[in-house]
Amino acid sequence: MLKLIFWPVLVPTVLFSMGLGAIVPIQILATIRLGASPALASSLVAVAGVFALLFCTVPVGGAILPTGTRMVGND
């Protein structure tokens, strides 16, 4: 099972997570450079993460759920 989903699912997820992890410190430093306090900069990044979770990930999961599951590799 893991072999079937390695390239189409796990590799893009890892690459996306690495990119997000690399950009978050840059967002905080850019916000501080624009004049915000470090606490405000960190709060803005945290709120953006929560916003993405609540309004992107959860609704997409809810939209996919009614379609059901499809067995991969059982031809």
Side-chain angles (χ1 to χ4, degrees), residues 3 26 42 55:
K3 201 176 214 181
I26 296 170
S42 300
F55 296 106

Side-chain angles (χ1 to χ4, degrees), residues 1-74:
M1 176 70 178
L2 184 61
K3 201 176 214 181
L4 292 173
I5 65 169
F6 182 74
W7 287 108
V9 176
L10 297 179
V11 171
T13 302
V14 168
L15 292 175
F16 179 76
S17 298
M18 288 172 54
L20 188 61
I23 199 73
V24 166
I26 296 170
Q27 287 176 332
I28 293 174
L29 292 174
T31 307
I32 291 171
R33 185 171 285 214
L34 289 172
S37 68
L40 178 63
S42 300
S43 298
L44 289 174
V45 171
V47 167
V50 170
F51 185 81
L53 177 69
L54 292 177
F55 296 106
C56 295
T57 308
V58 175
V60 169
I64 292 172
L65 184 64
T67 62
T69 58
R70 183 180 70 135
M71 298 302 292
V72 177
N74 290 341

